[in-house]
Amino acid sequence: MLFKLKAIFLNVCLGASAAIGLLMVVVGYSDRIHPESHPTLACAGMIFPLLLAANVVALLLWVLFKWRKAWIQLAALLLAFPAIRVYLPLHLQGEPPEGSIKIISYNVACYGVKDHCDNPVDSIRRYLEQQDADIVCLQEDAPRRAANSIRFEELYPYNDTVHVNRPGSPYINAIGVHTRYPILRKERLGYDAEANGSAAFYLLIDGDTVIVVNNHLESTHLTDNDRKEYTDIIYGDVDRRSASAGTRKLLGKVSAAMVKRSHQAELVHDYIVSHSQYPLIVCGDFNDTPISYVRRTVAKGLVDCYVESGCGLGFSYNRKGFFFRIDQLMCSHHFKPYNTYVDSHVAASDHYPVVGWLKRQ
């Protein structure tokens, strides 16, 4: 009898292991799904780190108690390796080579969204002074009040900002580039959004024209109440019925925003392809996870700097419960990235800045 129970338990464990392994692999490739075709399935990438953690735990348990069965998780991890590499790159950090360009991409939340930060304007200014980057790309580079502004001309000789909010919109939003390189011209990418957008800035770097495409793709537009509901669900602070209803509502909002972002990402990709004769730097707040149609679409034909030179999960959105890397830094093959990281030491915004170095090849 005991032998039969043991066999049943082992089979159940094998089935569970196979199920979480298969689910991880499927979710790992969910960035191939167009959000317009399957809006909910396209959101599956949000749970990839949980599935990865579950598979690692299962692998360790098999190794400890029944090592011959560990092949199930090993096979799943191998099949999902491309997604794991995107979500959790592991690279040693070293000194970037001489002559590298230092870049920061940072959503500054209109210099005032963080209530616990006494003076976000001063905090952001001090941070940018200390970093002394060559190119700073900001999203939400628009103050809530006229007094809430940084005098960028004191930091950089060349500064330009593009307002991306639709005329008449109650939202104010802008994307800016602040740099030590001359800005030759700029153009806004033509996609429809109420308060988000992308713009290309043409910079003169060492006698060559380099295009910097700064993006702030469609926001999810979750209210404070939505965010509280989400964290309550994550931490199990609501009953099952409320959690189910809340999950459906949140998924509806997330998937609707993802559909809008997918079309914006396609337009950004088309712009990149049509200007591939130029060295390109593409960055910004993508408002989507590493395993998403949006990131994959923009990254096609580019080098994802964090994937190629970063280390760890690199969560760039720092609201409680929302542990995602939604800010990106990419480049064309004219450059080689070094030491890309998410700087979690500055908390003046609801995002952390992404910092990296590029060396012209």
mmCIF file of all heavy atoms in Angstrom, residues 189 200 202 211 213 264-282 296-302 331-334:
data_model
loop_
_atom_site.group_PDB
_atom_site.id
_atom_site.type_symbol
_atom_site.label_atom_id
_atom_site.label_comp_id
_atom_site.label_asym_id
_atom_site.label_seq_id
_atom_site.Cartn_x
_atom_site.Cartn_y
_atom_site.Cartn_z
ATOM 1 N N LEU A 189 7.738 60.755 -34.501
ATOM 2 C CA LEU A 189 7.213 59.606 -35.228
ATOM 3 C C LEU A 189 5.685 59.662 -35.210
ATOM 4 O O LEU A 189 5.080 59.915 -34.160
ATOM 5 C CB LEU A 189 7.706 58.295 -34.613
ATOM 6 C CG LEU A 189 9.090 57.823 -35.069
ATOM 7 C CD1 LEU A 189 10.177 58.810 -34.685
ATOM 8 C CD2 LEU A 189 9.406 56.454 -34.491
ATOM 9 N N ALA A 200 12.667 61.172 -32.998
ATOM 10 C CA ALA A 200 14.029 60.880 -33.433
ATOM 11 C C ALA A 200 14.845 62.170 -33.402
ATOM 12 O O ALA A 200 14.426 63.192 -33.953
ATOM 13 C CB ALA A 200 14.022 60.289 -34.835
ATOM 14 N N TYR A 202 18.561 63.743 -34.334
ATOM 15 C CA TYR A 202 19.757 63.508 -35.140
ATOM 16 C C TYR A 202 20.926 64.231 -34.475
ATOM 17 O O TYR A 202 20.952 65.464 -34.394
ATOM 18 C CB TYR A 202 19.551 64.019 -36.555
ATOM 19 C CG TYR A 202 18.596 63.195 -37.386
ATOM 20 C CD1 TYR A 202 17.248 63.111 -37.067
ATOM 21 C CD2 TYR A 202 19.042 62.482 -38.500
ATOM 22 C CE1 TYR A 202 16.364 62.347 -37.825
ATOM 23 C CE2 TYR A 202 18.174 61.718 -39.270
ATOM 24 C CZ TYR A 202 16.832 61.661 -38.923
ATOM 25 O OH TYR A 202 15.973 60.902 -39.680
ATOM 26 N N ILE A 211 21.266 58.679 -35.059
ATOM 27 C CA ILE A 211 19.861 58.927 -34.715
ATOM 28 C C ILE A 211 19.562 58.316 -33.350
ATOM 29 O O ILE A 211 19.805 57.124 -33.124
ATOM 30 C CB ILE A 211 18.905 58.343 -35.769
ATOM 31 C CG1 ILE A 211 19.179 58.962 -37.140
ATOM 32 C CG2 ILE A 211 17.459 58.584 -35.357
ATOM 33 C CD1 ILE A 211 18.294 58.388 -38.244
ATOM 34 N N VAL A 213 16.448 57.504 -31.062
ATOM 35 C CA VAL A 213 14.989 57.404 -31.044
ATOM 36 C C VAL A 213 14.548 57.210 -29.598
ATOM 37 O O VAL A 213 14.795 56.157 -28.995
ATOM 38 C CB VAL A 213 14.484 56.237 -31.924
ATOM 39 C CG1 VAL A 213 12.952 56.212 -31.936
ATOM 40 C CG2 VAL A 213 15.027 56.361 -33.339
ATOM 41 N N GLN A 264 2.161 50.920 -32.135
ATOM 42 C CA GLN A 264 3.205 51.926 -31.980
ATOM 43 C C GLN A 264 4.578 51.298 -32.169
ATOM 44 O O GLN A 264 5.453 51.882 -32.828
ATOM 45 C CB GLN A 264 3.082 52.572 -30.595
ATOM 46 C CG GLN A 264 1.779 53.347 -30.395
ATOM 47 C CD GLN A 264 1.555 53.744 -28.939
ATOM 48 O OE1 GLN A 264 2.364 53.449 -28.057
ATOM 49 N NE2 GLN A 264 0.441 54.414 -28.684
ATOM 50 N N ALA A 265 4.774 50.116 -31.590
ATOM 51 C CA ALA A 265 6.063 49.422 -31.732
ATOM 52 C C ALA A 265 6.350 49.088 -33.186
ATOM 53 O O ALA A 265 7.498 49.177 -33.650
ATOM 54 C CB ALA A 265 6.066 48.150 -30.885
ATOM 55 N N GLU A 266 5.331 48.703 -33.935
ATOM 56 C CA GLU A 266 5.512 48.391 -35.349
ATOM 57 C C GLU A 266 5.933 49.625 -36.144
ATOM 58 O O GLU A 266 6.798 49.543 -37.031
ATOM 59 C CB GLU A 266 4.214 47.811 -35.910
ATOM 60 C CG GLU A 266 3.934 46.389 -35.417
ATOM 61 C CD GLU A 266 2.490 45.950 -35.609
ATOM 62 O OE1 GLU A 266 1.672 46.776 -36.088
ATOM 63 O OE2 GLU A 266 2.170 44.804 -35.278
ATOM 64 N N LEU A 267 5.367 50.772 -35.791
ATOM 65 C CA LEU A 267 5.752 52.009 -36.474
ATOM 66 C C LEU A 267 7.180 52.414 -36.125
ATOM 67 O O LEU A 267 7.928 52.896 -36.981
ATOM 68 C CB LEU A 267 4.765 53.126 -36.134
ATOM 69 C CG LEU A 267 3.404 53.022 -36.832
ATOM 70 C CD1 LEU A 267 2.386 53.967 -36.198
ATOM 71 C CD2 LEU A 267 3.538 53.341 -38.314
ATOM 72 N N VAL A 268 7.561 52.221 -34.864
ATOM 73 C CA VAL A 268 8.937 52.501 -34.462
ATOM 74 C C VAL A 268 9.890 51.572 -35.218
ATOM 75 O O VAL A 268 10.936 52.011 -35.729
ATOM 76 C CB VAL A 268 9.109 52.332 -32.939
ATOM 77 C CG1 VAL A 268 10.591 52.433 -32.544
ATOM 78 C CG2 VAL A 268 8.299 53.389 -32.186
ATOM 79 N N HIS A 269 9.526 50.309 -35.308
ATOM 80 C CA HIS A 269 10.368 49.347 -36.049
ATOM 81 C C HIS A 269 10.488 49.746 -37.519
ATOM 82 O O HIS A 269 11.593 49.676 -38.096
ATOM 83 C CB HIS A 269 9.766 47.944 -35.938
ATOM 84 C CG HIS A 269 10.449 46.939 -36.807
ATOM 85 N ND1 HIS A 269 11.734 46.491 -36.587
ATOM 86 C CD2 HIS A 269 10.033 46.304 -37.946
ATOM 87 C CE1 HIS A 269 12.073 45.630 -37.520
ATOM 88 N NE2 HIS A 269 11.065 45.489 -38.357
ATOM 89 N N ASP A 270 9.382 50.158 -38.129
ATOM 90 C CA ASP A 270 9.425 50.583 -39.537
ATOM 91 C C ASP A 270 10.356 51.779 -39.711
ATOM 92 O O ASP A 270 11.104 51.865 -40.706
ATOM 93 C CB ASP A 270 8.017 50.947 -40.024
ATOM 94 C CG ASP A 270 7.120 49.723 -40.162
ATOM 95 O OD1 ASP A 270 7.653 48.599 -40.171
ATOM 96 O OD2 ASP A 270 5.887 49.902 -40.238
ATOM 97 N N TYR A 271 10.320 52.699 -38.757
ATOM 98 C CA TYR A 271 11.211 53.867 -38.825
ATOM 99 C C TYR A 271 12.671 53.420 -38.735
ATOM 100 O O TYR A 271 13.532 53.907 -39.489
ATOM 101 C CB TYR A 271 10.885 54.850 -37.702
ATOM 102 C CG TYR A 271 11.682 56.130 -37.774
ATOM 103 C CD1 TYR A 271 11.206 57.228 -38.485
ATOM 104 C CD2 TYR A 271 12.920 56.236 -37.146
ATOM 105 C CE1 TYR A 271 11.943 58.397 -38.571
ATOM 106 C CE2 TYR A 271 13.660 57.397 -37.231
ATOM 107 C CZ TYR A 271 13.173 58.483 -37.944
ATOM 108 O OH TYR A 271 13.920 59.642 -38.037
ATOM 109 N N ILE A 272 12.939 52.503 -37.820
ATOM 110 C CA ILE A 272 14.310 52.002 -37.655
ATOM 111 C C ILE A 272 14.802 51.348 -38.941
ATOM 112 O O ILE A 272 15.926 51.597 -39.399
ATOM 113 C CB ILE A 272 14.355 51.003 -36.479
ATOM 114 C CG1 ILE A 272 14.126 51.747 -35.159
ATOM 115 C CG2 ILE A 272 15.689 50.258 -36.454
ATOM 116 C CD1 ILE A 272 13.842 50.829 -33.985
ATOM 117 N N VAL A 273 13.959 50.515 -39.543
ATOM 118 C CA VAL A 273 14.342 49.828 -40.785
ATOM 119 C C VAL A 273 14.597 50.822 -41.906
ATOM 120 O O VAL A 273 15.571 50.701 -42.666
ATOM 121 C CB VAL A 273 13.242 48.821 -41.198
ATOM 122 C CG1 VAL A 273 13.501 48.273 -42.592
ATOM 123 C CG2 VAL A 273 13.166 47.684 -40.194
ATOM 124 N N SER A 274 13.747 51.838 -42.017
ATOM 125 C CA SER A 274 13.881 52.813 -43.100
ATOM 126 C C SER A 274 15.062 53.757 -42.902
ATOM 127 O O SER A 274 15.443 54.476 -43.825
ATOM 128 C CB SER A 274 12.590 53.626 -43.246
ATOM 129 O OG SER A 274 12.352 54.403 -42.087
ATOM 130 N N HIS A 275 15.653 53.756 -41.711
ATOM 131 C CA HIS A 275 16.820 54.606 -41.433
ATOM 132 C C HIS A 275 18.030 53.769 -41.009
ATOM 133 O O HIS A 275 18.906 54.247 -40.291
ATOM 134 C CB HIS A 275 16.481 55.623 -40.344
ATOM 135 C CG HIS A 275 15.469 56.642 -40.752
ATOM 136 N ND1 HIS A 275 14.115 56.369 -40.806
ATOM 137 C CD2 HIS A 275 15.607 57.940 -41.155
ATOM 138 C CE1 HIS A 275 13.463 57.446 -41.204
ATOM 139 N NE2 HIS A 275 14.340 58.408 -41.435
ATOM 140 N N SER A 276 18.062 52.520 -41.464
ATOM 141 C CA SER A 276 19.124 51.613 -41.030
ATOM 142 C C SER A 276 20.495 51.984 -41.576
ATOM 143 O O SER A 276 21.503 51.400 -41.164
ATOM 144 C CB SER A 276 18.767 50.177 -41.437
ATOM 145 O OG SER A 276 18.584 50.098 -42.838
ATOM 146 N N GLN A 277 20.544 52.941 -42.507
ATOM 147 C CA GLN A 277 21.848 53.382 -43.007
ATOM 148 C C GLN A 277 22.581 54.234 -41.964
ATOM 149 O O GLN A 277 23.790 54.477 -42.087
ATOM 150 C CB GLN A 277 21.700 54.175 -44.313
ATOM 151 C CG GLN A 277 21.050 55.551 -44.183
ATOM 152 C CD GLN A 277 19.534 55.503 -44.311
ATOM 153 O OE1 GLN A 277 18.904 54.503 -43.958
ATOM 154 N NE2 GLN A 277 18.947 56.569 -44.834
ATOM 155 N N TYR A 278 21.844 54.683 -40.931
ATOM 156 C CA TYR A 278 22.441 55.502 -39.871
ATOM 157 C C TYR A 278 22.761 54.621 -38.658
ATOM 158 O O TYR A 278 22.054 53.647 -38.384
ATOM 159 C CB TYR A 278 21.461 56.576 -39.404
ATOM 160 C CG TYR A 278 21.170 57.666 -40.403
ATOM 161 C CD1 TYR A 278 20.033 57.599 -41.215
ATOM 162 C CD2 TYR A 278 21.995 58.775 -40.512
ATOM 163 C CE1 TYR A 278 19.740 58.603 -42.121
ATOM 164 C CE2 TYR A 278 21.703 59.787 -41.416
ATOM 165 C CZ TYR A 278 20.583 59.696 -42.220
ATOM 166 O OH TYR A 278 20.304 60.692 -43.114
ATOM 167 N N PRO A 279 23.785 54.972 -37.887
ATOM 168 C CA PRO A 279 23.923 54.380 -36.560
ATOM 169 C C PRO A 279 22.731 54.817 -35.704
ATOM 170 O O PRO A 279 22.337 55.992 -35.725
ATOM 171 C CB PRO A 279 25.226 54.987 -36.024
ATOM 172 C CG PRO A 279 25.949 55.491 -37.241
ATOM 173 C CD PRO A 279 24.893 55.896 -38.206
ATOM 174 N N LEU A 280 22.148 53.883 -34.974
ATOM 175 C CA LEU A 280 20.917 54.154 -34.238
ATOM 176 C C LEU A 280 21.056 53.794 -32.763
ATOM 177 O O LEU A 280 21.651 52.770 -32.404
ATOM 178 C CB LEU A 280 19.755 53.354 -34.828
ATOM 179 C CG LEU A 280 19.224 53.807 -36.182
ATOM 180 C CD1 LEU A 280 18.681 52.622 -36.967
ATOM 181 C CD2 LEU A 280 18.124 54.850 -36.000
ATOM 182 N N ILE A 281 20.481 54.636 -31.920
ATOM 183 C CA ILE A 281 20.322 54.346 -30.499
ATOM 184 C C ILE A 281 18.827 54.461 -30.207
ATOM 185 O O ILE A 281 18.210 55.481 -30.522
ATOM 186 C CB ILE A 281 21.123 55.334 -29.624
ATOM 187 C CG1 ILE A 281 22.620 55.233 -29.938
ATOM 188 C CG2 ILE A 281 20.862 55.063 -28.142
ATOM 189 C CD1 ILE A 281 23.452 56.349 -29.323
ATOM 190 N N VAL A 282 18.249 53.421 -29.657
ATOM 191 C CA VAL A 282 16.806 53.386 -29.405
ATOM 192 C C VAL A 282 16.590 53.106 -27.919
ATOM 193 O O VAL A 282 17.158 52.145 -27.374
ATOM 194 C CB VAL A 282 16.121 52.291 -30.247
ATOM 195 C CG1 VAL A 282 14.611 52.264 -29.983
ATOM 196 C CG2 VAL A 282 16.399 52.509 -31.729
ATOM 197 N N ARG A 296 10.002 42.781 -28.408
ATOM 198 C CA ARG A 296 10.554 41.957 -29.477
ATOM 199 C C ARG A 296 10.453 42.665 -30.830
ATOM 200 O O ARG A 296 11.385 42.591 -31.644
ATOM 201 C CB ARG A 296 9.817 40.615 -29.531
ATOM 202 C CG ARG A 296 10.345 39.667 -30.596
ATOM 203 C CD ARG A 296 9.702 38.292 -30.475
ATOM 204 N NE ARG A 296 10.168 37.420 -31.544
ATOM 205 C CZ ARG A 296 9.593 37.316 -32.732
ATOM 206 N NH1 ARG A 296 8.499 38.026 -32.998
ATOM 207 N NH2 ARG A 296 10.074 36.506 -33.640
ATOM 208 N N THR A 297 9.358 43.368 -31.085
ATOM 209 C CA THR A 297 9.172 44.061 -32.359
ATOM 210 C C THR A 297 10.178 45.186 -32.533
ATOM 211 O O THR A 297 10.804 45.316 -33.584
ATOM 212 C CB THR A 297 7.734 44.615 -32.459
ATOM 213 O OG1 THR A 297 6.815 43.515 -32.429
ATOM 214 C CG2 THR A 297 7.534 45.399 -33.746
ATOM 215 N N VAL A 298 10.345 45.998 -31.499
ATOM 216 C CA VAL A 298 11.303 47.106 -31.594
ATOM 217 C C VAL A 298 12.727 46.573 -31.690
ATOM 218 O O VAL A 298 13.564 47.120 -32.411
ATOM 219 C CB VAL A 298 11.160 48.056 -30.397
ATOM 220 C CG1 VAL A 298 12.205 49.176 -30.460
ATOM 221 C CG2 VAL A 298 9.761 48.677 -30.348
ATOM 222 N N ALA A 299 13.014 45.470 -30.993
ATOM 223 C CA ALA A 299 14.376 44.948 -30.931
ATOM 224 C C ALA A 299 14.822 44.254 -32.211
ATOM 225 O O ALA A 299 16.029 44.011 -32.385
ATOM 226 C CB ALA A 299 14.507 43.979 -29.760
ATOM 227 N N LYS A 300 13.885 43.911 -33.100
ATOM 228 C CA LYS A 300 14.268 43.202 -34.333
ATOM 229 C C LYS A 300 15.282 44.028 -35.135
ATOM 230 O O LYS A 300 15.029 45.174 -35.469
ATOM 231 C CB LYS A 300 13.025 42.917 -35.178
ATOM 232 C CG LYS A 300 12.203 41.737 -34.682
ATOM 233 C CD LYS A 300 11.114 41.344 -35.658
ATOM 234 C CE LYS A 300 10.026 42.381 -35.765
ATOM 235 N NZ LYS A 300 8.854 41.889 -36.534
ATOM 236 N N GLY A 301 16.413 43.439 -35.412
ATOM 237 C CA GLY A 301 17.458 44.125 -36.161
ATOM 238 C C GLY A 301 18.351 45.003 -35.308
ATOM 239 O O GLY A 301 19.294 45.610 -35.818
ATOM 240 N N LEU A 302 18.083 45.070 -34.002
ATOM 241 C CA LEU A 302 18.884 45.873 -33.082
ATOM 242 C C LEU A 302 19.571 44.976 -32.054
ATOM 243 O O LEU A 302 19.261 43.794 -31.928
ATOM 244 C CB LEU A 302 18.006 46.891 -32.355
ATOM 245 C CG LEU A 302 17.321 47.965 -33.188
ATOM 246 C CD1 LEU A 302 16.399 48.804 -32.302
ATOM 247 C CD2 LEU A 302 18.342 48.864 -33.889
ATOM 248 N N CYS A 331 20.569 49.410 -29.547
ATOM 249 C CA CYS A 331 21.408 50.114 -30.515
ATOM 250 C C CYS A 331 21.521 49.285 -31.788
ATOM 251 O O CYS A 331 21.234 48.082 -31.793
ATOM 252 C CB CYS A 331 22.794 50.398 -29.936
ATOM 253 S SG CYS A 331 23.758 48.915 -29.553
ATOM 254 N N SER A 332 21.940 49.928 -32.851
ATOM 255 C CA SER A 332 22.210 49.208 -34.095
ATOM 256 C C SER A 332 23.561 48.517 -33.973
ATOM 257 O O SER A 332 24.327 48.735 -33.024
ATOM 258 C CB SER A 332 22.202 50.175 -35.278
ATOM 259 O OG SER A 332 23.242 51.136 -35.146
ATOM 260 N N HIS A 333 23.881 47.693 -34.971
ATOM 261 C CA HIS A 333 25.127 46.917 -34.925
ATOM 262 C C HIS A 333 26.370 47.779 -35.193
ATOM 263 O O HIS A 333 27.483 47.230 -35.224
ATOM 264 C CB HIS A 333 25.050 45.764 -35.921
ATOM 265 C CG HIS A 333 24.034 44.727 -35.529
ATOM 266 N ND1 HIS A 333 24.320 43.717 -34.645
ATOM 267 C CD2 HIS A 333 22.722 44.575 -35.871
ATOM 268 C CE1 HIS A 333 23.256 42.955 -34.472
ATOM 269 N NE2 HIS A 333 22.268 43.452 -35.203
ATOM 270 N N HIS A 334 26.163 49.078 -35.335
ATOM 271 C CA HIS A 334 27.311 49.987 -35.427
ATOM 272 C C HIS A 334 28.019 50.112 -34.074
ATOM 273 O O HIS A 334 29.147 50.599 -34.003
ATOM 274 C CB HIS A 334 26.864 51.381 -35.879
ATOM 275 C CG HIS A 334 26.201 51.406 -37.228
ATOM 276 N ND1 HIS A 334 24.872 51.133 -37.424
ATOM 277 C CD2 HIS A 334 26.701 51.667 -38.457
ATOM 278 C CE1 HIS A 334 24.571 51.236 -38.694
ATOM 279 N NE2 HIS A 334 25.669 51.554 -39.352
#
